[in-house]
Amino acid sequence: MSQAIITIDGPAASGKSTVAKRVAQALGCVFLDTGAMYRTVTLACMTAGIDLRDPEAVLRVMDSHTFEFDQVSAKIDDQTVSEAIRDPKVTDHVKFIAGAPTIRGRLVEMQRRFAETHPVFVTEGRDQGTVAFPNAQVKIFLTADPVERAKRRLAELQARGLDQDLDSLVQAVNDRDRSDEQRDTGPLKAAHDARLVDTTGLTVDGVVDLILGHVRDLCPALFPSETA
Ligand code: DC
């Protein structure tokens, strides 16, 4: 198979990064965390002290730094920011970056450039199956109950020594869903040909197995030992 792109889209805290990483490991390929790209640009702009609502100023910040993403880290000018981009302040501000069509266009270009050098990869985000890679071979759309997603986010924050109350996290998850679903460019929505996977009540292993089942079904060539 010359190219196989597996897109995993879904709302905040639906478990996309964790399962995308595990699916990529199982397939022996790389994965792209596009949320990290939006977060990294947000952090660079916050550090530069510019108005995040001004897309021209954001594009100038993007032009004046180098951004690097690989499976495990995000970097701005060689400085690792993988932890810093998960700070709740960055999470709160990312909607300004995610809502601007010109900035989204620039990031989608970077994602497509990644595809030129990686024949098989898993990519996760909000618009990967709809906008960035409408011809992807496998499209997955993850969903999960908002309270369960807020609980997962709380566990993640607590593991990093941060605390927040569950009610405000449920509110934040719902707000982010609304802002992701309502933007005009690259809104959060399932591609018409996506396979839906509801992760409510499932373990990570369970979700990974379901997704690998869809990949096996749509791209048997990725499992050569089974088709030989
Ligand atoms: O998946 P995440 O929480 O790391 O994403 C951070 C933000 O980036 C999220 O609020 C929506 C935005 N995003 C986006 O608009 N499009 C993508 N492809 C990925 C993320």
Side-chain angles (χ1 to χ4, degrees):
M1 163 160 309
S2 52
Q3 176 125 56
I5 301 179
I6 294 117
T7 63
I8 302 180
D9 289 306
S14 56
K16 296 182 304 293
S17 302
T18 310
V19 298
K21 205 178 295 181
R22 291 272 308 273
V23 169
Q25 259 168 11
L27 296 173
C29 68
V30 292
F31 86 98
L32 183 62
D33 173 354
T34 63
M37 299 172 83
Y38 285 85
R39 288 171 178 276
T40 304
V41 172
T42 304
L43 177 64
C45 293
M46 288 169 71
T47 308
I50 62 139
D51 177 1
L52 272 70
R53 291 179 183 81
D54 177 355
E56 292 302 318
V58 173
L59 290 175
R60 279 197 294 277
V61 169
M62 290 179 75
D63 286 337
S64 59
H65 294 283
T66 54
F67 295 91
E68 227 181 278
F69 307 94
D70 67 26
Q71 311 207 67
V72 284
S73 68
K75 287 184 184 165
I76 304 174
D77 299 331
D78 288 336
Q79 190 196 346
T80 300
V81 293
S82 319
E83 278 281 310
I85 61 171
R86 308 278 157 202
D87 189 281
K89 278 204 198 78
V90 174
T91 306
D92 285 347
H93 285 83
V94 75
K95 60 177 176 283
F96 301 115
I97 303 302
T102 48
I103 303 166
R104 295 197 72 85
R106 185 75 77 85
L107 289 172
V108 167
E109 251 172 51
M110 287 168 76
Q111 292 152 16
R112 290 183 180 151
R113 271 205 301 277
F114 183 89
E116 286 167 13
T117 49
H118 295 85
V120 179
F121 70 102
V122 178
T123 179
E124 61 99 333
R126 305 293 190 285
D127 58 347
Q128 296 300 284
T130 49
V131 176
F133 303 108
N135 298 322
Q137 285 73 9
V138 183
K139 298 182 188 178
I140 305 291
F141 192 80
L142 291 187
T143 58
D145 169 69
V147 176
E148 180 157 329
R149 288 191 276 132
K151 284 184 181 161
R152 289 179 193 161
R153 189 58 27 114
L154 182 61
E156 253 171 53
L157 288 172
Q158 286 172 338
R160 293 172 46 220
L162 302 167
D163 210 1
Q164 231 173 317
D165 70 282
L166 183 62
D167 285 349
S168 63
L169 279 173
V170 173
Q171 175 78 41
V173 159
N174 283 326
D175 287 351
R176 219 134 66 88
D177 285 357
R178 236 187 333 272
S179 139
D180 277 343
E181 284 162 3
Q182 289 177 354
R183 67 171 162 260
D184 293 332
T185 313
L188 168 67
K189 69 168 183 203
H192 68 91
D193 49 352
R195 304 246 174 136
L196 301 189
V197 174
D198 184 347
T199 72
T200 311
L202 294 182
T203 60
V204 171
D205 283 349
V207 178
V208 169
D209 283 349
L210 277 177
I211 294 176
L212 287 174
H214 290 303
V215 178
R216 191 175 276 111
D217 186 23
L218 294 163
C219 268
L222 291 180
F223 298 83
S225 59
E226 295 174 18
T227 48

